[in-house]
Amino acid sequence: MPTKSVVVGSAVGLHARPAAIISEAADELGSEVLIGIPGDEAVDASSALLIMTLGAGPGDTVEVSGDVEADVDAIVALVEKDLDA
Amino acid sequence: MNALITTDLVRLDADLGSEKHEVIRALAGVVAQADRTTDVEALVADAFAREATSPTGLKNGIAIPHCRTTGVDVPTLAFARLAPPVDFGAKDGPADLVFLIVAPEGGDNTHLQILTKLARALVQAEFTDGLRAAESPEEAVELVTRVVDAPARPKAAPAAAAAAAATSTTAETAPEAPTAGRRRSLVAVTACPTGIAHTYMAAEALEAAAGRAGVDIEVETQGSAGSTPLAPGTIAAADAVIFAVDVGVRDRGRFAGKPLVSSGVKRPIDDGDAMIAEALRYADDPGAPRVEGSVTAGEGGGVANESWGGRTRRVLMTGVSYMIPFVAAGGLLIALGFLLGGYEIVGPYGEIAVNNTVFDLPDPQALGLDHALFGSGLMAYFGALFFIIGKTAFALFIPAFAGYIAYAIADRPGIAPGFVMGGLAANLFGVASADGAALPATGFLGAIAGGVLAGVIAHWIASWKVPNWARGLMPVLVIPLLTSIIAGLLMIVVLGKPISWVMERLNDGLNSMTGSSAILLGVILGLMMAFDMGGPLNKVAYSFAAVGVGGASLAADAPELKIMAAVMLAGMVPPIALALATVVRPGLFNVAERENGKAGWLLGASFITEGAIPFAAADPLRVIPSIMLGSAVTGGLSQAFDVSVRAPHGGIFVLFAVDGVLGFLIALLAGVLVGAAAVIALKSIGSPKVAPATA
């Protein structure tokens, strides 16, 4: 299962709006993508609420994993982008 | 420092308007009334601006409008339980629990911290249920405060603490609230007769469905690659068990007493979500079917409320799947023996094994081994040894068949008596009277009858009520002994002669099948192989052939070996034909199918018919008839060319065990071309929509 580490790019971390954008994108994907703090249990990236439970701040590293590499990459791209910009 | 939330910041069952901006404005007013803001208009404007970037509605009736604003000096949380609920832009409907989160402009990341803590609480059903059941603002404030005022802890702890706090609170305030907040866990076992494709597809489907349902699942894939048993702790912690199997579950006693959902291996692939839901329902239902037996008794191989047909199939397939490795090892070793020692090795193999060593090699000429590889004594020597090992593996296949049929019925206590019945069926002991008349060898029919007898009798004896002191003796002594006596007497006295009569007729029938009737048989087997690609019909044809290989005489023209060749070739055609079609006319297939096509070459070459399933599933009416046509051509040609193969599996990788290699390749190529042409023709004529859609 492809797993990628990525640094959170949003200026205030994965709070409500970045989480909402990521979860919407994850919902559109064909496969399940998980997102989590390394060493902790990962959560379903298609739930904004679950993403917010991570409490990932700006510059924190999160792990994105899933069965389909392209889908993982899509979410990784969103996480590392500053979605508040 | 002011508390984040106080009772004057809570409104229960409030009608704050019918639209989210009205609700936000009203909540801002609540903040103003509590003397928390100096500039309510700035607060409203900032919250609206935030809302405009993306809606703050979440699933399950929750909304979290929020902003950073110059209008407040301390972080503030206002909560409203709305009646009626108001749409905040969530996909699944309006929200009734609304939190307005306001943080001072600039400064630290308090905002995010609050959000994180709140989110961790909101995913707990206890927390939201508690808020929905709260009877006073005090209760609501207490619930929220426990969550957001909890001191900083290591990452995972706040969620756990929140859960614990919420649980204890709801226990007081809402005793009827469901206790389902704990993440449920399931275990599953998947297994199919060959253990190559379906076992793993079903496991993947179950894992995906469990993920969608938000439950943990661990799947033990009892495939041919061996399986890693589930940890006992995992099984003990599981709420329910899913068996998706077409063969017996290994060591099912481990799961004794767990609520059970059982099905064939195909169901999770079609219907995984429903199976997970069923398992969760059974977990709460004391009357649900359970895995029978106990760990010590080791009894009961049957699946609860399984149909007779399904049970018969499962029992037979268990026997076949354990038998095939014997046939494969034996068949390939015998083929290697012939390759090295020449076909005359059937004569002097014993002499060579007894009289010769690597340092004292046999003389091929003197022993009449005119076809030993390179005329070499070394080759003849190893040929003889391989032949002996292969013959021995072959001798065990009938006993193994019967033994594992009995195992599928009665679990472990059935194995020994089943093996004994299989030994009788094969006349392993070589029982013969002085005048040479032997005990009838009843072959695979005898093995089925003996295995079933042993299984049923062992299962029956295992159900006896015995005193505790005797219970330990049952599986190791009483059951094997009594079962062997009863089933053995029945085998020799009652069943032996009639079954051997049937076997003789069957063999006569196969041997007399030459010319057109043999070709027809090849065609029919080809149709069966391609029809359901690894499903029941395919397996019937395959088992028929594989069992035949084990029982066949050693001559290359034995009809059983030709049938095996027809079946193997026909089973190789569908994935290769479809792979070819994706290369010739890629426009007729979508991207996923073209990817599958690349794998199809190897899957087909390895005789894994299942490789065609993705194509057939997407477009059954065009794909299945096409590949049936291709396989039928191949099956018929294989019989016409008298191709034979000594190995029951392996595709082109057992080419050395094939007699009639040219015919083998021609038959394969012809079927692949016909199948590919048919699928291209049907897809381009019958499906005008496909081409433009993928172009």
PDB file of all heavy atoms in Angstrom, chain A residues 12 15-17 27 32 40-41 46 48-50 52-57, chain B residues 50 53-54 58-59 64 66 68 91 112 115-116 119-120 123 155-156 211:
ATOM      1  N   VAL A  12      -2.353  27.664   8.496  1.00  0.00           N
ATOM      2  CA  VAL A  12      -2.834  27.418   9.849  1.00  0.00           C
ATOM      3  C   VAL A  12      -3.094  25.933  10.085  1.00  0.00           C
ATOM      4  O   VAL A  12      -3.826  25.574  10.989  1.00  0.00           O
ATOM      5  CB  VAL A  12      -4.101  28.235  10.156  1.00  0.00           C
ATOM      6  CG1 VAL A  12      -3.741  29.661  10.492  1.00  0.00           C
ATOM      7  CG2 VAL A  12      -5.082  28.158   9.022  1.00  0.00           C
ATOM      8  N   HIS A  15      -7.019  22.744   9.369  1.00  0.00           N
ATOM      9  CA  HIS A  15      -8.239  23.110  10.088  1.00  0.00           C
ATOM     10  C   HIS A  15      -9.418  22.962   9.132  1.00  0.00           C
ATOM     11  O   HIS A  15      -9.321  22.282   8.121  1.00  0.00           O
ATOM     12  CB  HIS A  15      -8.121  24.522  10.667  1.00  0.00           C
ATOM     13  CG  HIS A  15      -8.031  25.571   9.623  1.00  0.00           C
ATOM     14  ND1 HIS A  15      -9.059  26.424   9.355  1.00  0.00           N
ATOM     15  CD2 HIS A  15      -7.054  25.862   8.745  1.00  0.00           C
ATOM     16  CE1 HIS A  15      -8.705  27.211   8.361  1.00  0.00           C
ATOM     17  NE2 HIS A  15      -7.494  26.892   7.982  1.00  0.00           N
ATOM     18  N   ALA A  16     -10.507  23.598   9.448  1.00  0.00           N
ATOM     19  CA  ALA A  16     -11.760  23.258   8.789  1.00  0.00           C
ATOM     20  C   ALA A  16     -11.736  23.357   7.268  1.00  0.00           C
ATOM     21  O   ALA A  16     -12.142  22.431   6.582  1.00  0.00           O
ATOM     22  CB  ALA A  16     -12.882  24.141   9.340  1.00  0.00           C
ATOM     23  N   ARG A  17     -11.217  24.481   6.743  1.00  0.00           N
ATOM     24  CA  ARG A  17     -11.365  24.627   5.300  1.00  0.00           C
ATOM     25  C   ARG A  17     -10.448  23.694   4.499  1.00  0.00           C
ATOM     26  O   ARG A  17     -10.926  23.012   3.593  1.00  0.00           O
ATOM     27  CB  ARG A  17     -11.161  26.085   4.872  1.00  0.00           C
ATOM     28  CG  ARG A  17     -11.675  26.346   3.469  1.00  0.00           C
ATOM     29  CD  ARG A  17     -12.018  27.797   3.296  1.00  0.00           C
ATOM     30  NE  ARG A  17     -10.834  28.610   3.556  1.00  0.00           N
ATOM     31  CZ  ARG A  17      -9.993  29.003   2.593  1.00  0.00           C
ATOM     32  NH1 ARG A  17     -10.234  28.692   1.352  1.00  0.00           N
ATOM     33  NH2 ARG A  17      -8.950  29.712   2.882  1.00  0.00           N
ATOM     34  N   ASP A  27     -13.432  12.226  -1.470  1.00  0.00           N
ATOM     35  CA  ASP A  27     -14.730  11.628  -1.748  1.00  0.00           C
ATOM     36  C   ASP A  27     -14.884  11.300  -3.236  1.00  0.00           C
ATOM     37  O   ASP A  27     -15.537  10.340  -3.617  1.00  0.00           O
ATOM     38  CB  ASP A  27     -15.833  12.598  -1.323  1.00  0.00           C
ATOM     39  CG  ASP A  27     -16.836  11.900  -0.433  1.00  0.00           C
ATOM     40  OD1 ASP A  27     -16.748  10.669  -0.306  1.00  0.00           O
ATOM     41  OD2 ASP A  27     -17.706  12.585   0.107  1.00  0.00           O
ATOM     42  N   GLU A  32     -10.058   4.270  -1.358  1.00  0.00           N
ATOM     43  CA  GLU A  32     -10.018   4.872  -0.034  1.00  0.00           C
ATOM     44  C   GLU A  32      -8.610   5.390   0.240  1.00  0.00           C
ATOM     45  O   GLU A  32      -7.627   4.733  -0.049  1.00  0.00           O
ATOM     46  CB  GLU A  32     -10.388   3.861   1.027  1.00  0.00           C
ATOM     47  CG  GLU A  32     -10.590   4.522   2.367  1.00  0.00           C
ATOM     48  CD  GLU A  32     -10.795   3.486   3.470  1.00  0.00           C
ATOM     49  OE1 GLU A  32     -10.000   2.556   3.544  1.00  0.00           O
ATOM     50  OE2 GLU A  32     -11.733   3.627   4.228  1.00  0.00           O
ATOM     51  N   ASP A  40       0.560   7.170  14.596  1.00  0.00           N
ATOM     52  CA  ASP A  40      -0.781   7.194  15.173  1.00  0.00           C
ATOM     53  C   ASP A  40      -1.740   6.548  14.197  1.00  0.00           C
ATOM     54  O   ASP A  40      -1.405   6.330  13.042  1.00  0.00           O
ATOM     55  CB  ASP A  40      -1.202   8.631  15.439  1.00  0.00           C
ATOM     56  CG  ASP A  40      -1.617   8.825  16.891  1.00  0.00           C
ATOM     57  OD1 ASP A  40      -2.164   7.861  17.469  1.00  0.00           O
ATOM     58  OD2 ASP A  40      -1.410   9.921  17.421  1.00  0.00           O
ATOM     59  N   GLU A  41      -2.948   6.273  14.649  1.00  0.00           N
ATOM     60  CA  GLU A  41      -3.893   5.641  13.754  1.00  0.00           C
ATOM     61  C   GLU A  41      -4.333   6.639  12.683  1.00  0.00           C
ATOM     62  O   GLU A  41      -4.652   7.784  12.983  1.00  0.00           O
ATOM     63  CB  GLU A  41      -5.100   5.141  14.540  1.00  0.00           C
ATOM     64  CG  GLU A  41      -5.849   4.071  13.784  1.00  0.00           C
ATOM     65  CD  GLU A  41      -7.000   3.492  14.602  1.00  0.00           C
ATOM     66  OE1 GLU A  41      -6.945   3.526  15.831  1.00  0.00           O
ATOM     67  OE2 GLU A  41      -7.949   3.040  13.959  1.00  0.00           O
ATOM     68  N   SER A  46     -11.745  11.091   3.524  1.00  0.00           N
ATOM     69  CA  SER A  46     -12.956  11.661   2.950  1.00  0.00           C
ATOM     70  C   SER A  46     -13.855  12.263   4.020  1.00  0.00           C
ATOM     71  O   SER A  46     -14.963  12.698   3.727  1.00  0.00           O
ATOM     72  CB  SER A  46     -13.700  10.602   2.133  1.00  0.00           C
ATOM     73  OG  SER A  46     -14.182   9.610   2.987  1.00  0.00           O
ATOM     74  N   ALA A  48     -14.087  15.288   6.668  1.00  0.00           N
ATOM     75  CA  ALA A  48     -13.461  16.531   7.127  1.00  0.00           C
ATOM     76  C   ALA A  48     -13.265  16.498   8.640  1.00  0.00           C
ATOM     77  O   ALA A  48     -12.222  16.892   9.163  1.00  0.00           O
ATOM     78  CB  ALA A  48     -14.330  17.727   6.740  1.00  0.00           C
ATOM     79  N   LEU A  49     -14.258  15.969   9.329  1.00  0.00           N
ATOM     80  CA  LEU A  49     -14.201  15.915  10.784  1.00  0.00           C
ATOM     81  C   LEU A  49     -13.015  15.066  11.246  1.00  0.00           C
ATOM     82  O   LEU A  49     -12.264  15.449  12.147  1.00  0.00           O
ATOM     83  CB  LEU A  49     -15.524  15.336  11.293  1.00  0.00           C
ATOM     84  CG  LEU A  49     -15.860  15.545  12.754  1.00  0.00           C
ATOM     85  CD1 LEU A  49     -15.776  17.010  13.107  1.00  0.00           C
ATOM     86  CD2 LEU A  49     -17.259  15.026  13.039  1.00  0.00           C
ATOM     87  N   LEU A  50     -12.872  13.909  10.605  1.00  0.00           N
ATOM     88  CA  LEU A  50     -11.781  13.021  11.000  1.00  0.00           C
ATOM     89  C   LEU A  50     -10.424  13.661  10.707  1.00  0.00           C
ATOM     90  O   LEU A  50      -9.477  13.497  11.472  1.00  0.00           O
ATOM     91  CB  LEU A  50     -11.902  11.669  10.293  1.00  0.00           C
ATOM     92  CG  LEU A  50     -13.039  10.786  10.827  1.00  0.00           C
ATOM     93  CD1 LEU A  50     -13.261   9.568   9.941  1.00  0.00           C
ATOM     94  CD2 LEU A  50     -12.748  10.343  12.244  1.00  0.00           C
ATOM     95  N   MET A  52      -9.782  16.763  10.840  1.00  0.00           N
ATOM     96  CA  MET A  52      -9.558  17.782  11.880  1.00  0.00           C
ATOM     97  C   MET A  52      -9.127  17.164  13.195  1.00  0.00           C
ATOM     98  O   MET A  52      -8.438  17.798  13.995  1.00  0.00           O
ATOM     99  CB  MET A  52     -10.827  18.612  12.077  1.00  0.00           C
ATOM    100  CG  MET A  52     -10.986  19.656  10.983  1.00  0.00           C
ATOM    101  SD  MET A  52     -12.335  20.757  11.330  1.00  0.00           S
ATOM    102  CE  MET A  52     -13.688  19.894  10.599  1.00  0.00           C
ATOM    103  N   THR A  53      -9.533  15.882  13.443  1.00  0.00           N
ATOM    104  CA  THR A  53      -9.123  15.247  14.697  1.00  0.00           C
ATOM    105  C   THR A  53      -7.613  15.071  14.755  1.00  0.00           C
ATOM    106  O   THR A  53      -7.057  14.850  15.818  1.00  0.00           O
ATOM    107  CB  THR A  53      -9.766  13.861  14.888  1.00  0.00           C
ATOM    108  OG1 THR A  53      -9.290  12.987  13.866  1.00  0.00           O
ATOM    109  CG2 THR A  53     -11.273  13.919  14.833  1.00  0.00           C
ATOM    110  N   LEU A  54      -6.938  15.129  13.623  1.00  0.00           N
ATOM    111  CA  LEU A  54      -5.485  14.933  13.626  1.00  0.00           C
ATOM    112  C   LEU A  54      -4.779  16.096  14.317  1.00  0.00           C
ATOM    113  O   LEU A  54      -3.718  15.932  14.904  1.00  0.00           O
ATOM    114  CB  LEU A  54      -4.958  14.816  12.194  1.00  0.00           C
ATOM    115  CG  LEU A  54      -5.509  13.647  11.373  1.00  0.00           C
ATOM    116  CD1 LEU A  54      -4.989  13.739   9.948  1.00  0.00           C
ATOM    117  CD2 LEU A  54      -5.118  12.319  11.993  1.00  0.00           C
ATOM    118  N   GLY A  55      -5.363  17.275  14.205  1.00  0.00           N
ATOM    119  CA  GLY A  55      -4.719  18.441  14.790  1.00  0.00           C
ATOM    120  C   GLY A  55      -3.378  18.737  14.149  1.00  0.00           C
ATOM    121  O   GLY A  55      -2.432  19.157  14.819  1.00  0.00           O
ATOM    122  N   ALA A  56      -3.273  18.518  12.857  1.00  0.00           N
ATOM    123  CA  ALA A  56      -2.000  18.744  12.178  1.00  0.00           C
ATOM    124  C   ALA A  56      -1.807  20.232  11.936  1.00  0.00           C
ATOM    125  O   ALA A  56      -2.607  20.868  11.251  1.00  0.00           O
ATOM    126  CB  ALA A  56      -1.984  17.987  10.851  1.00  0.00           C
ATOM    127  N   GLY A  57      -0.739  20.775  12.485  1.00  0.00           N
ATOM    128  CA  GLY A  57      -0.469  22.194  12.331  1.00  0.00           C
ATOM    129  C   GLY A  57       0.375  22.456  11.101  1.00  0.00           C
ATOM    130  O   GLY A  57       0.835  21.515  10.436  1.00  0.00           O
TER     131      GLY A  57
ATOM    132  N   ARG B  50     -15.607  33.763   5.982  1.00  0.00           N
ATOM    133  CA  ARG B  50     -15.086  32.395   6.067  1.00  0.00           C
ATOM    134  C   ARG B  50     -16.081  31.407   5.439  1.00  0.00           C
ATOM    135  O   ARG B  50     -15.710  30.498   4.694  1.00  0.00           O
ATOM    136  CB  ARG B  50     -14.840  32.039   7.535  1.00  0.00           C
ATOM    137  CG  ARG B  50     -14.661  30.579   7.821  1.00  0.00           C
ATOM    138  CD  ARG B  50     -13.449  30.003   7.083  1.00  0.00           C
ATOM    139  NE  ARG B  50     -13.387  28.552   7.215  1.00  0.00           N
ATOM    140  CZ  ARG B  50     -14.031  27.713   6.434  1.00  0.00           C
ATOM    141  NH1 ARG B  50     -14.781  28.160   5.451  1.00  0.00           N
ATOM    142  NH2 ARG B  50     -13.928  26.419   6.609  1.00  0.00           N
ATOM    143  N   THR B  53     -15.935  31.033   1.702  1.00  0.00           N
ATOM    144  CA  THR B  53     -14.859  30.281   1.038  1.00  0.00           C
ATOM    145  C   THR B  53     -15.223  28.820   0.883  1.00  0.00           C
ATOM    146  O   THR B  53     -14.933  28.202  -0.127  1.00  0.00           O
ATOM    147  CB  THR B  53     -13.544  30.380   1.819  1.00  0.00           C
ATOM    148  OG1 THR B  53     -13.756  29.830   3.120  1.00  0.00           O
ATOM    149  CG2 THR B  53     -13.096  31.823   1.945  1.00  0.00           C
ATOM    150  N   SER B  54     -15.848  28.238   1.911  1.00  0.00           N
ATOM    151  CA  SER B  54     -16.403  26.894   1.766  1.00  0.00           C
ATOM    152  C   SER B  54     -17.345  26.667   2.932  1.00  0.00           C
ATOM    153  O   SER B  54     -17.123  27.173   4.023  1.00  0.00           O
ATOM    154  CB  SER B  54     -15.290  25.845   1.758  1.00  0.00           C
ATOM    155  OG  SER B  54     -14.748  25.693   3.045  1.00  0.00           O
ATOM    156  N   LEU B  58     -20.742  19.715   8.344  1.00  0.00           N
ATOM    157  CA  LEU B  58     -20.073  18.414   8.324  1.00  0.00           C
ATOM    158  C   LEU B  58     -21.144  17.335   8.289  1.00  0.00           C
ATOM    159  O   LEU B  58     -22.329  17.614   8.428  1.00  0.00           O
ATOM    160  CB  LEU B  58     -19.193  18.242   9.563  1.00  0.00           C
ATOM    161  CG  LEU B  58     -18.095  19.281   9.742  1.00  0.00           C
ATOM    162  CD1 LEU B  58     -17.484  19.139  11.127  1.00  0.00           C
ATOM    163  CD2 LEU B  58     -17.037  19.115   8.668  1.00  0.00           C
ATOM    164  N   LYS B  59     -20.665  16.097   8.145  1.00  0.00           N
ATOM    165  CA  LYS B  59     -21.633  15.004   8.128  1.00  0.00           C
ATOM    166  C   LYS B  59     -22.299  14.867   9.482  1.00  0.00           C
ATOM    167  O   LYS B  59     -21.797  15.356  10.493  1.00  0.00           O
ATOM    168  CB  LYS B  59     -20.931  13.698   7.753  1.00  0.00           C
ATOM    169  CG  LYS B  59     -20.591  13.632   6.269  1.00  0.00           C
ATOM    170  CD  LYS B  59     -19.769  12.400   5.957  1.00  0.00           C
ATOM    171  CE  LYS B  59     -19.235  12.483   4.535  1.00  0.00           C
ATOM    172  NZ  LYS B  59     -18.125  11.557   4.329  1.00  0.00           N
ATOM    173  N   ILE B  64     -19.766  23.874  11.891  1.00  0.00           N
ATOM    174  CA  ILE B  64     -18.804  24.616  12.717  1.00  0.00           C
ATOM    175  C   ILE B  64     -18.402  25.930  12.039  1.00  0.00           C
ATOM    176  O   ILE B  64     -17.261  26.089  11.620  1.00  0.00           O
ATOM    177  CB  ILE B  64     -17.547  23.772  13.005  1.00  0.00           C
ATOM    178  CG1 ILE B  64     -17.057  23.102  11.706  1.00  0.00           C
ATOM    179  CG2 ILE B  64     -17.796  22.725  14.058  1.00  0.00           C
ATOM    180  CD1 ILE B  64     -15.647  22.559  11.828  1.00  0.00           C
ATOM    181  N   HIS B  66     -16.872  29.441  11.784  1.00  0.00           N
ATOM    182  CA  HIS B  66     -15.803  29.927  12.648  1.00  0.00           C
ATOM    183  C   HIS B  66     -15.044  31.051  11.955  1.00  0.00           C
ATOM    184  O   HIS B  66     -15.114  31.208  10.740  1.00  0.00           O
ATOM    185  CB  HIS B  66     -14.838  28.792  13.000  1.00  0.00           C
ATOM    186  CG  HIS B  66     -14.257  28.133  11.791  1.00  0.00           C
ATOM    187  ND1 HIS B  66     -14.884  27.071  11.179  1.00  0.00           N
ATOM    188  CD2 HIS B  66     -13.149  28.383  11.063  1.00  0.00           C
ATOM    189  CE1 HIS B  66     -14.176  26.681  10.137  1.00  0.00           C
ATOM    190  NE2 HIS B  66     -13.108  27.472  10.036  1.00  0.00           N
ATOM    191  N   ARG B  68     -11.462  34.032  12.701  1.00  0.00           N
ATOM    192  CA  ARG B  68     -10.631  34.845  13.586  1.00  0.00           C
ATOM    193  C   ARG B  68     -11.068  36.284  13.350  1.00  0.00           C
ATOM    194  O   ARG B  68     -11.278  36.694  12.204  1.00  0.00           O
ATOM    195  CB  ARG B  68      -9.167  34.659  13.239  1.00  0.00           C
ATOM    196  CG  ARG B  68      -8.728  33.234  13.604  1.00  0.00           C
ATOM    197  CD  ARG B  68      -7.265  33.173  13.815  1.00  0.00           C
ATOM    198  NE  ARG B  68      -6.589  32.800  12.586  1.00  0.00           N
ATOM    199  CZ  ARG B  68      -5.296  32.515  12.567  1.00  0.00           C
ATOM    200  NH1 ARG B  68      -4.585  32.596  13.668  1.00  0.00           N
ATOM    201  NH2 ARG B  68      -4.730  32.164  11.455  1.00  0.00           N
ATOM    202  N   LYS B  91     -23.322  17.453   2.651  1.00  0.00           N
ATOM    203  CA  LYS B  91     -23.997  16.660   1.622  1.00  0.00           C
ATOM    204  C   LYS B  91     -25.152  15.860   2.181  1.00  0.00           C
ATOM    205  O   LYS B  91     -26.110  15.555   1.484  1.00  0.00           O
ATOM    206  CB  LYS B  91     -22.994  15.695   0.973  1.00  0.00           C
ATOM    207  CG  LYS B  91     -22.147  16.390  -0.074  1.00  0.00           C
ATOM    208  CD  LYS B  91     -21.253  15.387  -0.763  1.00  0.00           C
ATOM    209  CE  LYS B  91     -20.210  16.094  -1.600  1.00  0.00           C
ATOM    210  NZ  LYS B  91     -19.000  15.312  -1.724  1.00  0.00           N
ATOM    211  N   LEU B 112      -6.973  26.508  15.998  1.00  0.00           N
ATOM    212  CA  LEU B 112      -6.799  25.159  15.486  1.00  0.00           C
ATOM    213  C   LEU B 112      -6.905  24.132  16.616  1.00  0.00           C
ATOM    214  O   LEU B 112      -7.488  23.059  16.445  1.00  0.00           O
ATOM    215  CB  LEU B 112      -5.441  25.054  14.797  1.00  0.00           C
ATOM    216  CG  LEU B 112      -5.130  23.699  14.159  1.00  0.00           C
ATOM    217  CD1 LEU B 112      -6.113  23.406  13.039  1.00  0.00           C
ATOM    218  CD2 LEU B 112      -3.713  23.663  13.633  1.00  0.00           C
ATOM    219  N   LEU B 115     -10.507  23.577  17.457  1.00  0.00           N
ATOM    220  CA  LEU B 115     -11.121  22.826  16.369  1.00  0.00           C
ATOM    221  C   LEU B 115     -10.763  21.346  16.463  1.00  0.00           C
ATOM    222  O   LEU B 115     -11.605  20.464  16.315  1.00  0.00           O
ATOM    223  CB  LEU B 115     -10.596  23.409  15.057  1.00  0.00           C
ATOM    224  CG  LEU B 115     -11.482  23.331  13.840  1.00  0.00           C
ATOM    225  CD1 LEU B 115     -12.823  23.955  14.120  1.00  0.00           C
ATOM    226  CD2 LEU B 115     -10.795  24.073  12.694  1.00  0.00           C
ATOM    227  N   THR B 116      -9.474  21.105  16.735  1.00  0.00           N
ATOM    228  CA  THR B 116      -9.004  19.715  16.797  1.00  0.00           C
ATOM    229  C   THR B 116      -9.691  18.973  17.935  1.00  0.00           C
ATOM    230  O   THR B 116     -10.189  17.863  17.760  1.00  0.00           O
ATOM    231  CB  THR B 116      -7.482  19.702  17.007  1.00  0.00           C
ATOM    232  OG1 THR B 116      -6.894  20.413  15.935  1.00  0.00           O
ATOM    233  CG2 THR B 116      -6.957  18.292  17.041  1.00  0.00           C
ATOM    234  N   ALA B 119     -13.305  18.440  17.138  1.00  0.00           N
ATOM    235  CA  ALA B 119     -13.473  17.415  16.110  1.00  0.00           C
ATOM    236  C   ALA B 119     -13.306  16.031  16.700  1.00  0.00           C
ATOM    237  O   ALA B 119     -14.054  15.100  16.404  1.00  0.00           O
ATOM    238  CB  ALA B 119     -12.462  17.640  14.984  1.00  0.00           C
ATOM    239  N   ARG B 120     -12.294  15.878  17.584  1.00  0.00           N
ATOM    240  CA  ARG B 120     -12.072  14.567  18.196  1.00  0.00           C
ATOM    241  C   ARG B 120     -13.271  14.129  19.010  1.00  0.00           C
ATOM    242  O   ARG B 120     -13.588  12.956  19.099  1.00  0.00           O
ATOM    243  CB  ARG B 120     -10.826  14.602  19.073  1.00  0.00           C
ATOM    244  CG  ARG B 120      -9.566  14.563  18.240  1.00  0.00           C
ATOM    245  CD  ARG B 120      -8.335  14.582  19.082  1.00  0.00           C
ATOM    246  NE  ARG B 120      -7.165  14.645  18.204  1.00  0.00           N
ATOM    247  CZ  ARG B 120      -5.958  15.010  18.594  1.00  0.00           C
ATOM    248  NH1 ARG B 120      -5.752  15.345  19.848  1.00  0.00           N
ATOM    249  NH2 ARG B 120      -4.976  15.039  17.746  1.00  0.00           N
ATOM    250  N   VAL B 123     -16.482  13.141  16.608  1.00  0.00           N
ATOM    251  CA  VAL B 123     -16.531  11.837  15.945  1.00  0.00           C
ATOM    252  C   VAL B 123     -17.008  10.744  16.891  1.00  0.00           C
ATOM    253  O   VAL B 123     -17.296   9.634  16.462  1.00  0.00           O
ATOM    254  CB  VAL B 123     -15.163  11.422  15.338  1.00  0.00           C
ATOM    255  CG1 VAL B 123     -14.794  12.351  14.205  1.00  0.00           C
ATOM    256  CG2 VAL B 123     -14.078  11.414  16.395  1.00  0.00           C
ATOM    257  N   LYS B 155      -0.634  12.856  21.542  1.00  0.00           N
ATOM    258  CA  LYS B 155      -1.559  12.919  20.409  1.00  0.00           C
ATOM    259  C   LYS B 155      -2.829  12.095  20.542  1.00  0.00           C
ATOM    260  O   LYS B 155      -3.918  12.587  20.333  1.00  0.00           O
ATOM    261  CB  LYS B 155      -0.835  12.490  19.125  1.00  0.00           C
ATOM    262  CG  LYS B 155       0.133  13.530  18.609  1.00  0.00           C
ATOM    263  CD  LYS B 155      -0.589  14.671  17.951  1.00  0.00           C
ATOM    264  CE  LYS B 155       0.397  15.665  17.369  1.00  0.00           C
ATOM    265  NZ  LYS B 155      -0.232  16.932  17.049  1.00  0.00           N
ATOM    266  N   ALA B 156      -2.679  10.828  20.868  1.00  0.00           N
ATOM    267  CA  ALA B 156      -3.843   9.954  20.819  1.00  0.00           C
ATOM    268  C   ALA B 156      -4.743  10.133  22.026  1.00  0.00           C
ATOM    269  O   ALA B 156      -5.914   9.830  21.975  1.00  0.00           O
ATOM    270  CB  ALA B 156      -3.408   8.497  20.714  1.00  0.00           C
ATOM    271  N   GLY B 211     -13.817  -0.772   5.568  1.00  0.00           N
ATOM    272  CA  GLY B 211     -13.334   0.612   5.635  1.00  0.00           C
ATOM    273  C   GLY B 211     -14.477   1.582   5.429  1.00  0.00           C
ATOM    274  O   GLY B 211     -14.591   2.579   6.142  1.00  0.00           O
TER     275      GLY B 211
END
